[in-house]
Amino acid sequence: MRLTEFHELVEGEFGRLRGESLLVDHVMQRLGGMTAAEAIEAGREPREVWRELCAEFDVPPQRR
């Protein structure tokens, strides 16, 4: 997954403002205590980060 697609999915699922906030404010333990933005910056694959966001916020499987 490309980073552009990741951001489109985040915005589509959570909305622009909430999505932007989640990426920089919400710390996820399953990503080593990093935010989604930090995890991507550290080299994690966007697909992995997307899956963790979906799990964290109970996004239905058909939208993952």
Side-chain angles (χ1 to χ4, degrees):
M1 166 187 294
R2 291 195 277 178
L3 194 53
T4 303
E5 182 183 0
F6 170 79
H7 285 288
E8 289 171 355
L9 289 170
V10 170
E11 184 174 330
E13 184 61 39
F14 301 108
R16 187 178 59 82
L17 293 177
R18 184 172 182 226
E20 288 175 5
S21 176
L22 289 176
L23 293 179
V24 297
D25 295 330
H26 185 77
V27 174
M28 293 184 283
Q29 294 307 311
R30 292 183 355 185
L31 290 177
M34 294 186 280
T35 65
E38 291 169 335
I40 288 173
E41 182 70 26
R44 298 276 185 115
E45 290 294 323
R47 171 64 65 192
E48 175 190 4
V49 176
W50 172 245
R51 287 182 182 140
E52 293 303 331
L53 275 172
C54 289
E56 189 90 5
F57 290 96
D58 297 321
V59 173
Q62 65 270 24
R63 293 199 313 254
R64 294 182 184 196

